[in-house]
Amino acid sequence: MRPAKLLPWLCLLAAGGAQAAELACGDFLSRQGQKPAYIVYQGCQQNMQRQDQPFEARYEIDGRHAQQAEAYLRRAYGLPRLKRYCCMWDSTRHSWRDRRTGYAYVMFMATEETPVRTRAAWPRIARFVVQVDGYATDP
């Protein structure tokens, strides 16, 4: 390949490498849009024990706002509706790619064990959790 044709490919590779180094822990949902105040950022850490060592951002939602939060996360990110499995409410994991940065994210929303069996009773659940895993490389 001639040097003139090789240069654009090298620039693309260099840009991809530089981009991967920029991803860091933080409030991913605020970085990507207008995160509602009822989705409360709790912190972030890189999990070195998991494959691809994702950055794990954690959020909490008071049960009074869980239906609003679920609707927002469905609309903004495509999160599936929560379903009751055994003894808790849980979404399946959902992934997407930020079109501005190219970074991949995986999200889920869940409760701890709860006797609450209907959506109408969600306000009786003390807290829901959301976790967003950010990947500098494809998971």
Side-chain angles (χ1 to χ4, degrees), residues 45-54 56:
Q45 66 182 22
Q46 186 171 19
N47 189 333
M48 303 302 278
Q49 304 304 312
R50 288 181 52 202
Q51 183 175 343
D52 297 320
Q53 302 172 341
E56 299 171 345

Side-chain angles (χ1 to χ4, degrees), residues 28-41:
F28 297 138
L29 297 182
S30 286
R31 288 180 190 169
Q32 294 181 22
Q34 300 293 323
K35 177 182 67 75
Y38 53 77
I39 299 177
V40 181
Y41 175 66

Side-chain angles (χ1 to χ4, degrees), residues 50-105:
R50 288 181 52 202
Q51 183 175 343
D52 297 320
Q53 302 172 341
F55 296 101
E56 299 171 345
R58 292 167 312 288
Y59 302 83
E60 285 189 3
I61 301 156
D62 186 284
R64 294 173 296 163
H65 300 290
Q67 288 186 3
Q68 285 175 280
E70 179 195 39
Y72 168 77
L73 295 171
R74 290 188 68 203
R75 185 175 56 254
Y77 301 100
L79 183 75
R81 280 176 56 97
L82 275 69
K83 295 182 180 177
R84 182 158 170 83
Y85 297 100
C86 169
C87 43
M88 63 186 287
W89 289 88
D90 190 8
S91 71
T92 55
R93 293 184 182 272
H94 175 69
S95 62
W96 77 95
R97 185 174 303 279
D98 183 333
R99 291 181 185 184
R100 292 174 299 147
T101 64
Y103 295 129
Y105 296 89

